[in-house]
Amino acid sequence: MSLRLGAMLPEVFRHLFKRPATVLYPFERNTVPRGLRGRPVMDPDKCIGCRMCERDCPAEAIEIKQESEATMPDGKVKKRYSMTLYLDRCAHCAQCEEICPAKPDKAVKLNEYFEEAAFDRGALKIVYK
Amino acid sequence: MSETFVLPVGPQHPALKEPTSFRFKVDGEYIIDADLRLGYNHRGMEKGCEARTYVQDIYLLERVCGICSNAHMTCFAQGVERLMGIEPPPRGLFIRCLMGELERIHSHLLWLGVAGHEIGFDTFFMYTWRDREVVMDLLEMVSGNRVNYGMQTFGGVRRDLDGTQIKTLLEGIAALKARTPYYLNLGATEPTMVARIKGVGLLPKQKAIELNTAGPTARASGVDFDVRKDDPYAGFGDLIPFTIVTDDGCDVLARVVVRAKEMMASYDIMEFILKNLPAGEIRTKAPRRVPEGETVSRVEAQRGECIHYIRANGTDKPDRVKVRAPTLANWPATLYMLRGAFLADIPIIMAAIDPCLSCTDRMAVISDCRGNEKVWDWETLRQHGIDFHRRRGIRP
């Protein structure tokens, strides 16, 4: 293959007439794909209190606490749990969602929200109850 | 009479944005001798693995490296699967290979850009990184994240592919396949680039074998070793065809050529995987406790052979995990390449092995000048880290 000076120039000139490859975030946004691993969200109505998410979380970002205990008219004991999520530690691995055994719907799920930056660390402590 | 002196390079910013320290003995512009000091970026990950369960470890080990994250995850997962005595279903193995190849494309495009940047060819850097976005978007679509894909697990993979995703993947691969020969031709025909990388960082085949080099560095010196072929894992071997890429140039130009051709080989692998994806389950159920035993797992990461040693003691936590990242294998060869080179070639020779320093750094025993040795356990190490930052006014 012979050497050719300015081999890149045709490509460079072609790009003068193309639109930019980048977008002007935050004024313009790319759409995120379906199934993006964003923020974990817990639904206390569905939680069965097995603490599997707390046990498996590799970042130790989840705390499950029992909030209340009530005896139902049919004699069954209904317990309600809360989840404290330390989002500053969360690695967004989705292991909590994967391991959650609640049926028919999982109690912990990751949404597609990705703009997690905050000035205050306290804002990243989220309690679901 | 010539005078030599020692020139320290690093540990801050020794050409790449990671810490390592070199001592170069130089005579004018020539490097007479080179020495290397590692250990600035020890993170205690191997020790950390012993304090966590296998499920937690898989995510910790994924974070050994930001670029080879899938390779480390695959390596650990398949080692533990061997100890558990389980085998992922064919569809799981195919998707496992697909992730490895997608990651290889992203890493090689990243490296091409970095190599361009190191020799002052920033236009090349911009174009390769723009094309890298195509594969990053594909990875994000498949796994839900741009880096640290979290796709591998014990017994298979965590996410399946649907018809739309397969179509988008094939389109993305076709676009990259059309684009890659351009970079290959450019590397071989642009006179400024050729003049800068041809004959630089020479590593003869015999030396490459003697110094145990791995990955594209070895293959660019004519050593036809690739774990995918020599010790097939996941779907490689019987299920997925694969051709090994080598070059006899032995210099940085050969490393550019090998990586560009490897990308072309990866496109073929991925197209085969997507067109022949078997139906069925993507994972089998894995137990939480791992039976007693030990194993060595090998994976061909983008930078070379990645080795994990795992020893299980019958509980849900490993007894010992040892990670050998490919960069460690390539350091002795880098020192050989640097000897006799020009001072100005240090960045590109170093960058040519695609080093990842934090993956490589290990430290278990700290000895002071009096010869006292102390083994740090996980808690002490963690407390030391907290105190270290608190003394500098950083709130832990």
Side-chain angles (χ1 to χ4, degrees):
Chain A
M1 222 176 279
S2 61
L3 294 186
R4 194 157 52 94
L5 202 63
M8 206 159 202
L9 284 177
E11 179 80 13
V12 174
F13 286 126
R14 213 173 302 138
H15 278 82
L16 287 174
F17 307 103
K18 281 189 176 174
R19 64 181 180 87
T22 49
V23 292
L24 290 169
Y25 181 84
F27 308 107
E28 289 170 35
R29 278 152 206 262
N30 277 334
T31 49
V32 295
R34 193 166 48 83
L36 181 95
R37 302 203 305 265
R39 177 186 287 189
V41 180
M42 184 262 212
D43 185 348
D45 292 329
K46 291 175 188 160
C47 182
I48 57 168
C50 67
R51 294 175 197 270
M52 286 297 280
C53 51
E54 189 181 22
R55 206 173 93 181
D56 261 7
C57 179
E60 295 171 8
I62 295 175
E63 270 175 28
I64 301 282
K65 265 192 231 144
Q66 189 182 321
E67 285 296 317
S68 62
E69 191 175 324
T71 314
M72 304 308 277
D74 58 357
K76 279 185 184 166
V77 180
K78 172 92 178 149
K79 290 176 184 169
R80 200 177 160 83
Y81 298 89
S82 73
M83 178 167 119
T84 311
L85 174 71
Y86 296 92
L87 206 55
D88 50 344
R89 281 188 233 154
C90 178
H92 303 272
C93 66
Q95 179 64 27
C96 46
E97 182 181 332
E98 189 184 307
I99 201 73
C100 183
K103 279 178 186 161
D105 206 10
K106 288 178 186 291
V108 187
K109 275 184 183 170
L110 265 68
N111 64 15
E112 285 168 9
Y113 181 71
F114 64 94
E115 289 157 311
E116 306 280 21
F119 286 105
D120 178 24
R121 203 175 174 180
L124 296 171
K125 182 181 168 182
I126 300 165
V127 183
Y128 299 106
K129 62 177 176 185
Chain B
M1 198 181 116
S2 68
E3 270 187 55
T4 61
F5 63 95
V6 175
L7 180 76
V9 174
Q12 282 92 9
H13 215 307
L16 297 158
K17 284 97 196 147
E18 281 191 279
T20 193
S21 175
F22 286 93
R23 299 281 182 280
F24 292 113
K25 200 171 173 189
V26 292
D27 180 5
E29 283 290 305
Y30 289 101
I31 301 164
I32 309 284
D33 199 7
D35 193 15
L36 170 74
R37 291 177 73 181
L38 292 170
Y40 293 93
N41 216 354
H42 173 63
R43 294 170 294 174
M45 278 187 153
E46 288 176 1
K47 194 74 191 162
C49 282
E50 295 167 23
R52 287 167 170 79
T53 61
Y54 284 97
V55 177
Q56 291 174 322
D57 282 346
I58 196 165
Y59 300 107
L60 178 65
L61 285 168
E62 183 183 20
R63 283 155 180 82
V64 165
C65 180
I67 308 290
C68 320
S69 62
N70 185 69
H72 283 282
M73 212 177 187
T74 310
C75 201
F76 184 67
Q78 70 182 19
V80 176
E81 278 163 10
R82 207 175 298 153
L83 287 171
M84 287 172 173
I86 56 170
E87 178 76 20
R91 193 177 173 90
L93 290 177
F94 269 57
I95 298 176
R96 184 171 277 183
C97 291
L98 177 81
M99 284 306 290
E101 296 313 308
L102 278 173
E103 194 184 52
R104 194 178 315 277
I105 301 296
H106 120 70
S107 173
H108 281 0
L109 281 171
L110 177 135
W111 180 84
L112 280 175
V114 171
H117 176 70
E118 295 298 343
I119 58 172
F121 196 1
D122 275 340
T123 320
F124 191 67
F125 160 68
M126 293 289 178
Y127 285 157
T128 46
W129 279 43
R130 182 201 56 190
D131 289 340
R132 179 172 164 261
E133 281 307 305
V134 176
V135 70
M136 295 301 278
D137 287 345
L138 294 178
L139 281 163
E140 191 183 21
M141 178 194 71
V142 174
S143 70
N145 216 350
R146 273 168 64 90
V147 284
N148 295 330
Y149 319 108
M151 276 292 275
Q152 316 298 338
T153 192
F154 308 129
V157 290
R158 295 171 67 203
R159 285 187 184 211
D160 203 357
L161 294 175
D162 62 25
T164 336
Q165 285 178 331
I166 292 174
K167 194 168 160 276
T168 318
L169 276 164
L170 283 169
E171 282 168 8
I173 292 164
L176 287 167
K177 203 174 181 176
R179 192 76 192 145
T180 307
Y182 173 72
Y183 296 120
L184 186 58
N185 291 338
L186 200 70
T189 57
E190 167 70 47
T192 47
M193 189 154 173
V194 173
R196 192 71 180 77
I197 58 177
K198 196 172 167 57
V200 172
L202 282 170
L203 180 71
K205 183 176 178 179
Q206 196 50 40
K207 271 285 164 197
I209 296 168
E210 267 175 40
L211 295 168
N212 271 329
T213 45
T217 314
R219 290 195 284 276
S221 292
V223 183
D224 61 339
F225 178 79
D226 193 310
V227 185
R228 289 176 287 176
K229 184 170 167 286
D230 294 296
D231 183 14
Y233 60 93
F236 292 112
D238 306 334
L239 300 175
I240 301 166
F242 166 69
T243 46
I244 196 162
V245 177
T246 56
D247 196 281
D248 295 325
C250 304
D251 54 4
V252 177
L253 177 62
R255 281 159 223 154
V256 172
V257 171
V258 159
R259 284 190 173 94
K261 284 185 178 168
E262 257 183 35
M263 289 197 310
M264 294 305 283
S266 285
Y267 300 138
D268 292 341
I269 296 172
M270 288 193 288
E271 281 178 349
F272 178 86
I273 291 174
L274 292 168
K275 285 174 182 161
N276 298 285
L277 199 62
E281 292 291 310
I282 53 163
R283 63 191 282 188
T284 49
K285 203 168 160 43
R288 287 189 81 83
R289 285 173 187 275
V290 179
E292 217 169 303
E294 57 179 358
T295 188
V296 173
S297 173
R298 309 204 291 176
V299 157
E300 184 70 26
Q302 306 78 299
R303 288 154 168 158
E305 183 188 17
C306 170
I307 307 171
H308 283 209
Y309 164 78
I310 308 145
R311 190 168 69 215
N313 54 8
T315 62
D316 62 347
K317 289 174 184 168
D319 202 33
R320 175 81 172 101
V321 178
K322 166 77 190 144
V323 179
R324 204 295 308 261
T327 305
L328 191 67
N330 285 333
W331 275 131
T334 312
L335 294 181
Y336 175 84
M337 291 182 237
L338 284 164
R339 287 182 196 120
F342 279 122
L343 206 53
D345 290 336
I346 293 173
I348 187 62
I349 293 176
M350 263 184 72
I353 65 158
D354 198 2
C356 186
L357 304 168
S358 46
C359 314
T360 304
D361 275 0
R362 299 287 176 277
M363 186 164 56
V365 179
I366 297 168
S367 69
D368 62 16
C369 55
R370 292 183 201 88
N372 299 325
E373 289 190 345
K374 192 164 102 180
V375 178
W376 287 37
D377 62 13
W378 177 246
E379 273 309 313
T380 326
L381 199 63
R382 189 177 148 77
Q383 196 54 47
H384 174 77
I386 293 169
D387 294 344
F388 178 88
H389 287 99
R390 189 172 281 149
R391 279 199 299 276
R392 281 155 183 80
I394 300 162
R395 193 160 52 93

